[in-house]
């Protein structure tokens, strides 16, 4: 992560937030190229997030999905579960591509 997009704090981002990222490793035939800077949205975090009903959700790893300027994902597949908070932030295409929404 390079920085979060929008808001007054430039250091902290959580589920569903847009961030600027750089690609550390990439497959040779993929859309993303190593060393390039892209926009992404956070779909999983190890830090727990409190929901309105009082429950907490936490994942085993941090993960983000690369997005275009209009908010649609660059790829055609999303691996692993994504958080339900993405639905509230209107990332419906990512939610529909994910195998599981928690």
């Amino acid at each position: 992560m390079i920085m979060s997009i929008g808001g007054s704090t430039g250091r902290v981002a959580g589920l569903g937030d847009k961030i600027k990222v750089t690609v550390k490793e990439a497959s040779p035939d993929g859309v993303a190229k190593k060393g390039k800077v892209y926009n992404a949205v956070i779909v999983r975090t190890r830090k727990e997030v409190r929901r309105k009903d009082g429950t907490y959700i936490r994942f085993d790893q941090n993960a983000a999905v690369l997005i275009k300027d209009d908010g649609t994902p660059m790829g055609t597949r999303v691996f692993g579960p994504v958080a339900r908070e993405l639905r509230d932030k209107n990332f419906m295409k990512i939610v529909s591509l994910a195998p599981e929404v928690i």
Side-chain angles (χ1 to χ4, degrees):
M1 177 176 137
I2 297 173
M3 63 179 289
S4 62
I5 299 173
S8 60
T9 61
R11 293 187 299 230
V12 179
L15 285 176
D17 289 344
K18 291 182 183 179
I19 58 173
K20 283 278 190 190
V21 297
T22 183
V23 177
K24 294 291 188 180
E25 63 181 54
S27 61
D29 56 344
V31 177
K33 301 300 178 196
K34 182 180 176 188
K36 293 285 188 175
V37 176
Y38 295 100
N39 290 336
V41 62
I42 298 175
V43 295
R44 290 191 297 271
T45 58
R46 288 181 58 95
K47 177 67 179 167
E48 65 274 355
V49 176
R50 186 176 190 272
R51 291 188 168 162
K52 291 186 187 282
D53 61 357
T55 61
Y56 288 86
I57 183 167
R58 149 177 78 204
F59 295 95
D60 292 339
Q61 61 187 354
N62 299 321
V65 173
L66 298 180
I67 57 173
K68 300 176 189 171
D69 291 333
D70 59 353
T72 59
M74 291 180 69
T76 57
R77 294 187 294 172
V78 175
F79 296 106
V82 298
R84 192 180 311 133
E85 283 76 5
L86 294 177
R87 189 182 308 264
D88 300 334
K89 298 198 177 183
N90 294 325
F91 291 107
M92 296 306 294
K93 185 66 176 173
I94 296 173
V95 171
S96 67
L97 289 174
E100 186 178 4
V101 178
I102 297 177

